[in-house]
Amino acid sequence: MAFTLGIDFGTNSARALVVRSSDGAELGSRVAQYRSGRQGVLLDSRDAHLARQYPGDYLAALEESVRGALAAARRTRGFSARLVAGVGVDTTGSSPIPVDRRNRPLALHRKWRRNLDAQCWLWKDHTSWREAALITQEAARMRPAYIAKCGNRYSSEWFWSKIWRCLTAAPAVFKAAHSWVELADWIPSVLAGVTDPGKVVRGICAAGHKALYSDEWGGLPDKRFLSALDPRLAALRDRLYARAFDATTPAGSLCADWAARLGLPAGIPVAIGEFDVHYGSIGCGIRVGTLVKVIGTSTCDCALVPPGRVPDIPGICGIVPGSIVPGFQAIEAGQSAVGDIFNWWIDTVCGGDPEMHARLTAEAAHQEPGQSGLVALDWQNGNRSILVDPRLTGLLVGCTLQTTRAEIYRALIEATAFGARMIIERIRDYGVPIRRIVCAGGISEKNPLLMQIYADVTGCTMHVAGSNQACALGAAIGAAVLAGAHRDFPSAQSAMTRVKKAAYRPDARRRRTYNRLYAQYRALHDGFGGVRRRTDLSNVMKELLSIQADSRAA
Amino acid sequence: MAFTLGIDFGTNSARALVVRSSDGAELGSRVAQYRSGRQGVLLDSRDAHLARQYPGDYLAALEESVRGALAAARRTRGFSARLVAGVGVDTTGSSPIPVDRRNRPLALHRKWRRNLDAQCWLWKDHTSWREAALITQEAARMRPAYIAKCGNRYSSEWFWSKIWRCLTAAPAVFKAAHSWVELADWIPSVLAGVTDPGKVVRGICAAGHKALYSDEWGGLPDKRFLSALDPRLAALRDRLYARAFDATTPAGSLCADWAARLGLPAGIPVAIGEFDVHYGSIGCGIRVGTLVKVIGTSTCDCALVPPGRVPDIPGICGIVPGSIVPGFQAIEAGQSAVGDIFNWWIDTVCGGDPEMHARLTAEAAHQEPGQSGLVALDWQNGNRSILVDPRLTGLLVGCTLQTTRAEIYRALIEATAFGARMIIERIRDYGVPIRRIVCAGGISEKNPLLMQIYADVTGCTMHVAGSNQACALGAAIGAAVLAGAHRDFPSAQSAMTRVKKAAYRPDARRRRTYNRLYAQYRALHDGFGGVRRRTDLSNVMKELLSIQADSRAA
């Protein structure tokens, strides 16, 4: 009997999960919060775009979560930490960390400890929006192929934007950094005891989706392109990496030091790092025709296509071979804020306690679609897909003197559902089939109202992943394949994943009303999110009032 | 020494004020709340457009407020109720009441007591939006002159829309009503003991601004026009009135019954009824070149022009000769919700206690213009001027995950300031001078932050009326002129009104930022409030973020 361990580094905490390789049974798990900043995120009150993390928090959470999960698993007969045959890691991203020559994050040095620019640049940091726009511009001019596969827009959430921003805003940090390592690569390299950034095994997932890496053009962007941005970026290229790998290649084997710290056998394989939703998609049983939605503070959408069949899809962030399941191309899209929007509404605007989520949800559940007369845009943190523009903001239209906060709460949920529908329609428009949707993430577990609204808005049945720890499960599956417990990923997924029996099915009547509201959402989406585009929005408020009247009359 | 009494019937309460005729000194006042409904307003949870009032509440408040004001005045040496030489009344409007043959509101009969359609149809009732649109349409076709002076749009807040709506929605009420009397005419008629609707002296103010009355076409709309709406409206015309009068004509003299109930001398003149802001403008010392803004739950704007010089101004609700000061034409405009918007935000959305106004105001006062990145449209209750469209709703754009409720509160204040600027610019564009702004109403007294924002947004100094009971004062001035205490209105105003010493002056730096924000407000205003109009709004969010960045950098 063999077991593997999956460790999921989320935005606010890390979670370790012990899994039985034969059937995916989950034996024990443990969550460890990051200790610094606000819920683990370092903020700057002068710049709302900034979001960083202290790398030391990851190490503390790694130890706490793994030891806790092993302790929990020990309650199961037949389990022993000695039987753990591999470890897999997934993280947020793009979250690059400036490191020294020994692969040690600058922030772990006393000198840089308090410097925000020397920390991990968290995925949701948008300080580099100017740099992202310039990269898009230069690529369009010099290397259009570079961005064709990421929706023709390079994002401020990504690797090169962030590093270039650091160079501009904090040149001393840039200079002190020998290299930069994605969090998804860095944690496995720590477990494998790698003390040279040049020897860190880099995953195709972070490289391909965020760093413009592709075998098509020989790896990372060439020096001529990087020099056009800044010659110092071209010089950095030599200190990054030449190749990136899919999950058939391990990141290394567990070093003695960390084996001792975690209480695991030394030498077992450490799977290559992937982003949370990518291993999460594996944990949801992704295959061709499936869309996996990981719905949390933000949402990520993943789909697979056999090699050679993927068109470039405008506005979809990434299409990378092998970045989820080896042998398949992966499409990734997403919404920059989902749960974050609901939290913002309740915490920052309504000043509510944690129980207010339940109260407003209960109230909103009694409302019919269209009854509030509201429609919102879900861009409080910009728009990742399909506009790929962080310089967009939230919008709410239709308020009257009777509008309640529960109505606005529901309108915000609906806005994220409309955003989800935009993505589904864009992917389908380019010939990629979506026949089945599997949702994971905290919200898909805890918010049946949202799930039903998503089904009604999209017209698709929403399945829920069998595991509520799909990301960690996927990482554990990656380790199980490496450890030889299964022949390949598809067979490992068949054995180790499932969906819940109960699913959310669309209701035809509610869907008709949502089709009318969606038309208004699209008008606003195109009107505010387009480029120098004139739109007729003069009937939006009246149409919302008509939908409201029809909804109340029904 | 002579005194007069002004009585102001507001949306939630009535206020009586005892004034010395020689110098406008205020000797005593008393507020009486209406007892029914929510803060005096009868609502219908199934229809947010509905707002009615129980006429019995007016009579109770009349007695309570007048007796209270007289009791308070008695503390001043030399005052005696026997020296009160006249009474003036102002009310909200258009607030028509269905009455029987004896001038008694239907709702005072047991049979109709609980029927919402038999009550007073309060000014802010918008149930008749369909009828208003049809009247606009028919007038444009048959009698364009009818609506040329009210901005080419007949409103759902007005007399004929409401009566026609009653005919359609509650034909039994319409049939039972012998006539309809505006609240502004009805209260004076009660004081004068008039028991025949045909003998109620009707004011030009309600008639000219709300009922399409004009000497140009021989009074009320002709029967052919009314028949085109509904023959039963044409039949009603005979039971309404043939002439309406300005404030040189009294409504009657105080009848013995009410003299006894109030403790006043019988036979003293009762001034003609005017709307609150019209008498309020008199109480603010209105003259040619002055804009009076009465800022409360909604805002009314009034200006005067010498006869014969007023062009038709698109989107301005009314231009009526003699409706404020006899001998001058009056221009009236307004914003359908101002204080109501702030109350909605705090009560209904934030769930705050009354002290939250002060807390959010204090927080908002520390913000610089543009700092929040927000801009809002102030249409939560539709738009009275200059779009004259109740089928518009509120809009908020620019929210991020950091947006606070105090920032939104300030954005709502700013939205009403932008709405105020639209009106000022429209009036000036048509050659009517505005050289001086005098503000009255609770908000102008209590909210220095709002007043400063209004000054900064409009670029005009905001004066505050010397009396915080300007409407009641104006009604008392009307009574004083009738009682012979002054030669005419201008000389009565000179003697009896003043502005406060401290005024709010625009700041040049803040004004520059507000000019940038106003450009965005205008783009949204024209984009959402226009008719089949295509607008480029694709840069709104980015421009707001740029304004925000500049504001934070300054």
Side-chain angles (χ1 to χ4, degrees):
Chain A
M1 192 147 10
F3 304 90
T4 56
L5 198 77
I7 317 165
D8 165 43
F9 286 82
T11 299
N12 310 113
S13 60
R15 169 193 299 269
L17 175 70
V18 177
V19 177
R20 187 160 59 206
S21 308
S22 56
D23 61 356
E26 300 176 3
L27 274 64
S29 74
R30 171 71 164 270
V31 174
Q33 305 297 325
Y34 306 142
R35 293 172 191 170
S36 312
R38 185 168 171 188
Q39 294 187 291
V41 182
L42 308 173
L43 302 173
D44 182 346
S45 59
R46 291 161 308 174
D47 186 353
H49 288 306
L50 188 144
R52 307 280 157 83
Q53 270 178 337
Y54 172 55
D57 287 350
Y58 301 135
L59 302 179
L62 173 59
E63 191 168 341
E64 179 187 344
S65 63
V66 170
R67 296 195 78 99
L70 293 173
R74 264 183 220 108
R75 281 183 226 124
T76 304
R77 227 152 78 104
F79 174 80
S80 152
R82 281 178 293 113
L83 298 174
V84 172
V87 182
V89 171
D90 68 83
T91 74
T92 67
S94 175
S95 301
I97 307 172
V99 298
D100 66 12
R101 289 172 187 281
R102 306 268 306 145
N103 195 31
R104 191 172 165 80
L106 294 188
L108 297 185
H109 292 277
R110 178 188 297 262
K111 176 176 177 191
W112 302 107
R113 174 71 183 86
R114 300 276 159 214
N115 188 315
L116 280 172
D117 301 310
Q119 312 295 320
C120 177
W121 289 51
L122 190 61
W123 64 276
K124 66 177 171 177
D125 187 291
H126 287 147
T127 50
S128 60
W129 57 270
R130 285 182 207 82
E131 287 75 11
L134 288 169
I135 292 172
T136 300
Q137 200 178 303
E138 276 311 291
R141 198 173 62 83
M142 291 177 68
R143 303 282 187 270
Y146 283 5
I147 51 171
K149 295 199 183 307
C150 59
N152 280 318
R153 274 219 165 153
Y154 196 75
S155 165
S156 61
E157 293 189 359
W158 298 349
F159 193 74
W160 291 109
S161 303
K162 284 171 167 163
I163 295 176
W164 191 10
R165 176 71 191 158
C166 178
L167 195 168
T168 314
V173 172
F174 180 85
K175 210 176 152 203
H178 175 72
S179 188
W180 289 72
V181 183
E182 276 285 349
L183 176 57
D185 296 327
W186 186 71
I187 303 277
S189 78
V190 166
L191 291 172
V194 180
T195 56
D196 172 355
K199 298 203 171 133
V200 172
V201 181
R202 314 277 184 144
I204 183 70
C205 172
H209 284 286
K210 313 296 180 188
L212 298 175
Y213 174 100
S214 173
D215 289 338
E216 267 183 45
W217 48 81
L220 291 171
D222 63 66
K223 283 198 173 184
R224 221 169 118 213
F225 175 74
L226 293 174
S227 286
L229 308 182
D230 191 297
R232 289 166 289 182
L233 289 177
L236 172 66
R237 187 185 193 276
D238 293 331
R239 307 194 305 274
L240 292 170
Y241 51 94
R243 273 198 71 192
F245 302 87
D246 71 20
T248 50
T249 301
S253 52
L254 188 62
C255 68
D257 179 24
W258 274 94
R261 278 174 77 168
L262 301 178
L264 286 171
I268 57 172
V270 178
I272 208 153
E274 286 194 10
F275 289 147
D276 36 21
V277 288
H278 290 227
Y279 269 137
S281 297
I282 291 175
C284 290
I286 196 168
R287 58 180 186 251
V288 174
T290 300
L291 179 75
V292 168
K293 293 183 72 65
V294 181
I295 310 174
T297 52
S298 66
T299 285
C300 272
D301 300 295
C302 293
L304 293 188
V305 199
R309 274 204 51 230
V310 188
D312 293 338
I313 308 179
I316 297 302
C317 338
I319 304 169
V320 174
S323 75
I324 296 179
V325 175
F328 295 89
Q329 301 208 60
I331 295 180
E332 189 199 314
Q335 295 175 261
S336 325
V338 175
D340 270 348
I341 296 179
F342 316 141
N343 289 334
W344 159 72
W345 181 247
I346 290 193
D347 300 347
T348 308
V349 181
C350 295
D353 48 36
E355 279 151 41
M356 192 185 273
H357 276 284
R359 283 206 308 279
L360 292 195
T361 302
E363 227 180 289
H366 285 105
Q367 297 159 20
E368 284 298 313
Q371 191 188 308
S372 68
L374 298 171
V375 74
L377 288 175
D378 50 327
W379 299 348
Q380 282 79 357
N381 195 27
N383 177 292
R384 194 185 300 156
S385 309
I386 58 181
L387 297 167
V388 201
D389 189 349
R391 305 258 301 154
L392 295 172
T393 51
L395 181 147
L396 177 68
V397 60
C399 289
T400 70
L401 297 174
Q402 283 73 42
T403 301
T404 66
R405 54 179 135 173
E407 286 174 334
I408 296 173
Y409 184 70
R410 183 173 175 122
L412 294 172
I413 295 176
E414 290 169 348
T416 67
F418 295 138
R421 179 165 165 183
M422 291 291 292
I423 293 171
I424 292 170
E425 292 188 353
R426 177 58 62 93
I427 293 176
R428 279 181 173 159
D429 283 351
Y430 282 76
V432 176
I434 297 179
R435 289 184 294 263
R436 179 170 163 268
I437 298 183
V438 180
C439 300
I443 287 182
S444 68
E445 296 277 334
K446 290 181 218 152
N447 199 327
L449 172 67
L450 176 140
M451 293 298 287
Q452 187 58 51
I453 288 172
Y454 274 44
D456 293 336
V457 164
T458 62
C460 304
T461 298
M462 294 281 144
H463 295 279
V464 181
S467 170
N468 55 14
Q469 306 171 84
C471 299
L473 173 60
I477 290 173
V481 174
L482 274 185
H486 296 280
R487 187 174 74 245
D488 55 19
F489 277 89
S491 47
Q493 286 178 282
S494 294
M496 297 175 72
T497 74
R498 57 196 54 79
V499 296
K500 290 202 167 67
K501 252 195 186 156
Y504 299 88
R505 287 169 214 291
D507 170 88
R509 188 179 54 78
R510 289 195 295 263
R511 192 166 180 223
R512 277 193 297 276
T513 303
Y514 277 134
N515 283 342
R516 292 177 70 186
L517 287 168
Y518 181 63
Q520 302 311 306
Y521 176 90
R522 278 202 71 142
L524 296 169
H525 179 282
D526 296 349
F528 283 87
V531 176
R532 289 201 202 157
R533 182 186 167 125
R534 295 175 61 210
T535 316
D536 185 352
L537 297 172
S538 61
N539 203 45
V540 169
M541 292 172 179
K542 290 176 178 57
E543 172 65 3
L544 289 174
L545 288 170
S546 298
I547 295 170
Q548 178 180 53
D550 294 347
S551 161
R552 289 183 175 177
Chain B
M1 191 145 11
F3 304 90
T4 55
L5 198 77
I7 316 164
D8 164 42
F9 286 82
T11 299
N12 311 112
S13 60
R15 170 194 297 271
L17 176 69
V18 177
V19 177
R20 187 158 62 204
S21 308
S22 57
D23 62 356
E26 299 175 2
L27 274 64
S29 74
R30 172 70 165 268
V31 174
Q33 305 297 326
Y34 307 142
R35 293 171 193 170
S36 312
R38 187 170 170 185
Q39 294 187 292
V41 181
L42 308 173
L43 302 173
D44 181 347
S45 59
R46 291 160 307 174
D47 186 353
H49 287 307
L50 187 145
R52 307 279 157 85
Q53 271 179 335
Y54 171 55
D57 286 350
Y58 301 134
L59 301 179
L62 173 60
E63 191 167 342
E64 180 187 343
S65 64
V66 170
R67 296 196 79 100
L70 292 173
R74 264 185 218 105
R75 282 183 227 123
T76 303
R77 229 152 77 103
F79 173 79
S80 153
R82 281 178 293 113
L83 298 174
V84 173
V87 182
V89 171
D90 69 83
T91 73
T92 68
S94 172
S95 301
I97 306 172
V99 298
D100 66 12
R101 290 172 186 280
R102 306 268 304 146
N103 195 32
R104 191 173 166 80
L106 294 189
L108 297 184
H109 293 275
R110 178 188 298 261
K111 176 177 176 190
W112 301 106
R113 176 70 182 84
R114 300 277 158 212
N115 188 314
L116 280 172
D117 301 310
Q119 314 294 320
C120 177
W121 290 51
L122 191 61
W123 65 275
K124 66 176 171 179
D125 187 291
H126 287 146
T127 49
S128 59
W129 57 270
R130 285 181 207 83
E131 288 75 11
L134 289 169
I135 292 172
T136 299
Q137 200 179 304
E138 275 311 290
R141 198 173 62 84
M142 291 177 68
R143 302 283 187 270
Y146 284 3
I147 51 171
K149 292 196 186 311
C150 59
N152 279 318
R153 275 218 164 155
Y154 196 74
S155 163
S156 61
E157 293 189 0
W158 299 349
F159 193 73
W160 290 108
S161 304
K162 284 171 167 162
I163 296 175
W164 191 10
R165 177 71 192 158
C166 178
L167 196 169
T168 314
V173 173
F174 180 85
K175 209 176 155 205
H178 175 72
S179 187
W180 289 72
V181 184
E182 276 283 351
L183 176 57
D185 296 326
W186 186 71
I187 303 276
S189 79
V190 166
L191 290 172
V194 179
T195 55
D196 172 356
K199 296 202 171 134
V200 172
V201 181
R202 314 278 184 143
I204 183 69
C205 174
H209 284 286
K210 312 297 180 186
L212 297 176
Y213 174 99
S214 173
D215 289 338
E216 265 183 46
W217 48 81
L220 290 172
D222 63 66
K223 284 197 172 185
R224 224 171 114 212
F225 174 74
L226 293 175
S227 287
L229 308 182
D230 191 297
R232 287 165 291 181
L233 290 177
L236 172 67
R237 187 184 192 278
D238 294 331
R239 307 194 307 273
L240 292 170
Y241 51 94
R243 272 197 72 193
F245 301 88
D246 71 20
T248 50
T249 301
S253 51
L254 188 61
C255 69
D257 178 25
W258 274 94
R261 276 174 78 168
L262 301 178
L264 286 171
I268 56 173
V270 178
I272 207 153
E274 285 193 11
F275 289 146
D276 36 21
V277 288
H278 289 227
Y279 268 137
S281 297
I282 291 175
C284 289
I286 196 168
R287 58 179 186 252
V288 173
T290 301
L291 179 75
V292 169
K293 293 183 73 62
V294 181
I295 310 174
T297 52
S298 66
T299 285
C300 272
D301 300 295
C302 293
L304 292 187
V305 200
R309 275 203 51 232
V310 189
D312 293 338
I313 307 178
I316 297 303
C317 340
I319 304 170
V320 174
S323 75
I324 296 179
V325 176
F328 294 89
Q329 302 208 58
I331 296 180
E332 189 199 314
Q335 295 175 259
S336 325
V338 175
D340 270 349
I341 296 179
F342 316 141
N343 289 335
W344 160 71
W345 181 247
I346 290 194
D347 300 347
T348 308
V349 181
C350 296
D353 47 36
E355 278 152 43
M356 192 185 274
H357 276 284
R359 282 205 308 279
L360 292 194
T361 301
E363 228 181 289
H366 285 104
Q367 297 159 18
E368 285 298 313
Q371 192 187 307
S372 68
L374 298 172
V375 73
L377 288 175
D378 50 325
W379 299 347
Q380 282 78 357
N381 195 27
N383 177 292
R384 194 184 301 156
S385 309
I386 56 180
L387 296 167
V388 202
D389 189 348
R391 306 257 303 152
L392 294 173
T393 51
L395 180 145
L396 177 68
V397 61
C399 289
T400 70
L401 298 174
Q402 282 74 41
T403 301
T404 67
R405 56 178 135 176
E407 286 174 333
I408 297 173
Y409 184 69
R410 183 173 175 123
L412 294 172
I413 294 176
E414 290 169 347
T416 67
F418 295 139
R421 180 165 164 183
M422 290 292 293
I423 293 171
I424 292 170
E425 292 189 351
R426 176 59 61 93
I427 293 176
R428 278 180 173 158
D429 283 351
Y430 282 76
V432 177
I434 297 179
R435 289 184 294 263
R436 179 171 164 266
I437 299 183
V438 180
C439 300
I443 287 182
S444 68
E445 297 276 334
K446 289 181 218 153
N447 199 327
L449 172 67
L450 176 140
M451 293 298 287
Q452 187 59 52
I453 289 173
Y454 274 43
D456 293 337
V457 164
T458 62
C460 304
T461 297
M462 295 280 143
H463 295 280
V464 180
S467 170
N468 55 14
Q469 305 171 84
C471 299
L473 172 60
I477 290 173
V481 174
L482 273 185
H486 295 281
R487 190 174 72 245
D488 55 18
F489 277 87
S491 48
Q493 286 178 282
S494 293
M496 297 175 72
T497 73
R498 56 197 54 78
V499 296
K500 289 201 167 66
K501 253 196 185 152
Y504 300 87
R505 286 169 216 290
D507 170 88
R509 188 179 54 78
R510 289 195 295 263
R511 193 170 178 220
R512 278 193 297 276
T513 304
Y514 277 134
N515 283 342
R516 291 177 71 186
L517 287 167
Y518 180 62
Q520 302 312 307
Y521 176 91
R522 277 202 71 142
L524 295 168
H525 178 283
D526 296 349
F528 283 88
V531 176
R532 290 201 201 160
R533 181 184 169 127
R534 293 174 53 188
T535 315
D536 184 352
L537 297 171
S538 60
N539 203 46
V540 169
M541 292 172 179
K542 290 176 178 58
E543 172 66 3
L544 289 174
L545 289 170
S546 298
I547 296 170
Q548 178 179 53
D550 294 345
S551 161
R552 288 182 175 177

